[in-house]
Amino acid sequence: MLHLISASPIAAAVLERIDSGSSIVFLESAVLGILRNGQLSGRLTGMLADHHLYALSADLMIRGIEADQIVEGIEVIDYTGLVELTVAHPLIQSWN
C-alpha cells in the first residue's frame, strides 16, 4: 500500500497504523517532520527496516530543506517518481 502523508506535524498514531512493507511519501508540509534532528527521526530510522520512505523533492526545495537534512535513508523523488509509485500501488491512503 502507498501512504501519502501531507500534514505537519506528523502524528505518531498515523505511523503506527502503517503496515510493514508499505511505501510512504512525505509531501507538502509533512517534509518538515522528517528532519534528521526532528522528534520523529528515531522512529523513521527504525521504519526504514521494513518500509520504503520517500520525500517529494519539490516540497523540500520550497521549504529550503536540503536532502542531507532529512533522515538518512529516506529517498528523495520527483513528480515522475511519485507517479510511478501511484501506478505501482493499487491501494493508496492519504493522510492530511
Side-chain angles (χ1 to χ4, degrees), residues 39-91:
Q39 278 186 307
L40 294 175
S41 62
R43 174 179 227 108
L44 295 171
T45 299
M47 290 181 77
L48 286 164
D50 54 6
H51 296 80
H52 304 281
L53 306 182
Y54 305 91
L56 193 60
S57 59
D59 289 322
L60 292 172
M61 185 178 65
I62 288 169
R63 288 159 182 83
I65 301 171
E66 299 290 331
D68 64 354
Q69 294 177 292
I70 65 173
V71 171
E72 187 174 348
I74 295 178
E75 184 179 343
V76 177
I77 59 171
D78 58 12
Y79 285 111
T80 301
L82 178 60
V83 170
E84 290 170 357
L85 285 170
T86 60
V87 170
H89 293 84
L91 294 174

